[in-house]
Amino acid sequence: MKVVVERDQCIGAGMCVLTAPAVFDQDPDEAVVVLLDEQPPETQRPAVEQAVDRCPAAVIRLLP
Amino acid sequence: MSLPALPLPGEDQLPFDPPPEYARLRAAPRVIRVACPTGLDAWLVSDYAGVREVLGDGRRFSTRPGQAAHVLGAFGGPDAPISGFSQLDGPEHIRIRRNFAPQVSHPRRLAELRPLVEQITDDAVTRMLASPQPYPLHSRFSTAITTAVIAELIGVPPDRHQLLHDAATALFTTSTTPDELRRAVEPLWAYLYQLVATRRARPGDDVLSRMIEHSADSARPLTDAELTEMNGALLIAGFDTTASMITYGLVCLLNTPGQWEKLCADPELAASAAEELVRYLGVGAGLLRQATEDTEVHGQPIRAGDYVVVALQSGNRDTALHPDAGTLDVTRKPGAHLGFGHGAHACVGQQIARIELTTVLGTLARRAPGLRVAVPLEEIVWKKDSVVRGPAELPVAWS
Ligand code: HEM
């Protein structure tokens, strides 16, 4: 599984970090999403799917 | 033929549920035309997918008219005394959000905030338990906690708290006239404008000082007016919404068989209980948007310039979201919902609100498991004419 983020539209709401802290962080300056792991292990799938669903700005995508 | 009026019938008869009509509107799902209390007509979207679609697409659905202008006569519109970043769309709006986010939703910032919220909450519980019963929970506990948290964050001393209470009461009351709103908000704005100058000269460790410092190096630093408005928005939007959610949430928990008992048996459920209460009870009045182009939702054509109201609480009760969406369940695994909105305007303060709600519920479950509402449900006095729903006051007792 591959994760992509669109940082331009990120509002830094923090849902991804709350939901999947092993995969996402926020940069210290603007609190914009930082992808810690572009190809997380399959065990992270439920958490990443949740992060996609809970991101208010819809900037996270999960590729097969 | 006259249009059905918003709020739909039954709004003030069911203390915890949206009017029953919404279940029929969601089932199809259907978008209908309604007449709003402030005189404008709008399309009403009631189902989870539809609400998410509208809020999620700021390009097609703008917040320009003001997100509560369908229920607040003094809010939005060309003469509005308050307008600002919330009515911006696109990159201009994101610029402001990027200046909020490091102060209110960065995980390391939140880790610093948590002990402050815990201390304020612990003190409030200690004060309550040392007081005679019944105790007025909404004013002395819920509002006291949420005011202290947001005021402390921005560095507004207790002798100025009345300024933000007056401003928020005027803003959230549907019958406030634009003139009354201007009079109620001006003192807070004047105070904050001065505070900006003070903090520019002598920075502290508060949100306002950090915003000044943060934006100073950017291509377009925040102006004094922008800083005033942003901090004013945090103060006004920050305490009453959360305080009402605490009070309203507790009545709902205590009134739904087994829920309070489950939380007390396992106070670690506080985080999921907090999320569930925001889903279950959140923002009854819905939010307003305006179409920027000819478009459609669920096949209903919507013309450029048409207003659209999204019913958040109804959307959260959609069986497409959870098969048992109509049931309050403190053990529900936290997931997506519309209680804090969705899209680029989703609540700025949602992580702070989560910390406050979780801390309050967990602390009460541990220290005051014998808490109960001291009057029958029918005798609770609810706020009137307010867009932030909940009891005006709540007498509680404990054993
Ligand atoms: C349980 C408590 C709360 C609830 C249910 C709530 C709900 C909401 C909702 C639904 C919106 C979206 C409005 C829209 O899309 O038009 C919103 C926006 C906002 N909230 Fe909250 N809120 C809460 C607490 C807070 C707190 C604690 C703060 C400040 C610290 C805050 C500050 C704001 C601001 C500034 C906006 C405007 C965001 C924008 O337009 O970009 N809220 N809130």
Side-chain angles (χ1 to χ4, degrees):
Chain A
M1 124 181 102
K2 187 166 157 43
V3 184
V4 285
V5 295
E6 210 183 313
R7 303 187 80 228
D8 275 4
Q9 302 296 316
C10 176
I11 54 169
M15 291 315 295
C16 54
V17 180
L18 187 72
T19 310
V23 182
F24 304 99
D25 196 3
Q26 286 167 271
D27 85 51
D29 184 37
E30 293 203 296
V32 170
V33 60
V34 173
L35 200 48
L36 296 175
D37 191 349
E38 270 178 47
Q39 282 177 298
E42 222 22 61
T43 50
Q44 285 292 326
R45 183 179 287 275
V48 175
E49 282 173 350
Q50 275 285 309
V52 172
D53 204 27
R54 295 180 87 183
C55 172
V59 298
I60 308 170
R61 272 185 314 137
L62 186 54
L63 307 179
Chain B
M1 201 186 76
S2 66
L3 293 173
L6 214 90
L8 298 179
E11 169 99 344
D12 40 11
Q13 275 128 50
L14 300 161
F16 308 118
D17 299 321
E21 175 82 22
Y22 279 115
R24 281 190 290 277
L25 293 174
R26 285 194 302 263
R30 272 193 308 136
V31 174
I32 61 164
R33 190 96 173 131
V34 291
C36 302
T38 55
L40 50 88
D41 295 344
W43 297 106
L44 177 66
V45 179
S46 316
D47 65 301
Y48 181 74
V51 173
R52 242 177 103 108
E53 177 184 338
V54 171
L55 293 182
D57 192 344
R59 203 181 48 74
R60 277 192 301 151
F61 300 101
S62 164
T63 56
R64 194 177 42 228
Q67 55 241 112
H70 58 308
V71 277
L72 294 177
F75 187 94
D79 305 327
I82 293 199
S83 66
F85 76 88
S86 241
Q87 285 161 263
L88 299 174
D89 295 304
E92 284 295 298
H93 173 250
I94 287 192
R95 164 177 171 259
I96 300 290
R97 295 287 302 228
R98 293 273 167 92
N99 280 288
F100 271 119
Q103 313 311 336
V104 296
S105 52
H106 195 284
R108 280 177 280 290
R109 178 73 178 132
L110 296 174
E112 292 169 14
L113 293 182
R114 204 165 274 115
L116 170 77
V117 176
E118 283 165 359
Q119 186 63 54
I120 288 171
T121 304
D122 237 8
D123 291 349
V125 175
T126 302
R127 252 191 340 264
M128 177 177 92
L129 294 179
S131 299
Q133 306 183 30
Y135 188 74
L137 183 105
H138 186 61
S139 55
R140 302 266 291 280
F141 181 82
S142 313
T143 307
I145 291 173
T146 61
T147 304
V149 170
I150 195 71
E152 180 75 24
L153 275 183
I154 294 173
V156 174
D159 64 349
R160 301 298 180 128
H161 288 180
Q162 197 57 42
L163 288 178
L164 60 121
H165 284 181
D166 292 346
T169 305
L171 180 66
F172 293 140
T173 301
T174 52
S175 54
T176 304
T177 65
D179 240 19
E180 285 166 345
L181 181 58
R182 196 172 288 116
R183 274 200 301 279
V185 171
E186 247 161 31
L188 175 64
W189 253 234
Y191 167 70
L192 285 174
Y193 201 73
Q194 277 203 322
L195 197 62
V196 172
T198 312
R199 296 283 159 73
R200 281 203 194 276
R202 264 171 288 122
D205 192 31
D206 52 275
V207 162
L208 173 52
S209 299
R210 289 172 182 226
M211 279 183 179
I212 292 171
E213 191 201 329
H214 177 262
S215 92
D217 316 324
S218 69
R220 229 173 92 205
L222 295 168
T223 64
D224 286 13
E226 284 171 332
L227 285 160
T228 299
E229 191 217 316
M230 289 166 72
N231 285 274
L234 287 182
L235 288 166
I236 292 180
F239 81 90
D240 192 35
T241 44
T242 320
S244 296
M245 193 54 78
I246 293 171
T247 308
Y248 193 12
L250 278 168
V251 185
C252 187
L253 274 184
L254 290 164
N255 198 65
T256 310
Q259 295 295 306
W260 176 251
E261 291 73 11
K262 273 188 192 158
L263 178 61
C264 292
D266 180 8
E268 294 295 313
L269 289 173
S272 62
E275 199 73 42
E276 175 70 346
L277 287 169
V278 176
R279 177 191 76 84
Y280 196 73
L281 300 174
V283 202
L287 300 171
L288 184 72
R289 295 293 190 264
Q290 187 172 28
T292 58
E293 59 185 56
D294 291 352
T295 180
E296 55 171 61
V297 174
H298 293 314
Q300 171 62 53
I302 293 176
R303 305 274 299 270
D306 281 1
Y307 292 109
V308 179
V309 170
V310 292
L312 298 190
Q313 195 191 12
S314 166
N316 278 334
R317 302 293 185 94
D318 197 331
T319 50
L321 176 60
H322 299 293
D324 63 343
T327 306
L328 178 80
D329 178 2
V330 293
T331 68
R332 194 185 298 280
K333 190 176 171 314
H337 63 78
L338 305 164
F340 289 114
H342 180 67
H345 289 272
C347 184
V348 160
Q350 58 178 289
Q351 303 302 359
I352 293 178
R354 281 191 177 89
I355 291 176
E356 292 185 82
L357 292 169
T358 302
T359 306
V360 165
L361 292 173
T363 309
L364 283 175
R366 277 185 205 98
R367 294 187 55 197
L371 188 73
R372 63 176 193 280
V373 181
V375 296
L377 190 62
E378 311 77 64
E379 281 173 34
I380 293 175
V381 179
W382 296 80
K383 286 192 274 187
K384 272 219 169 4
D385 297 338
S386 174
V387 289
V388 185
R389 220 174 169 201
E393 191 48 277
L394 188 72
V396 295
W398 53 88
S399 52

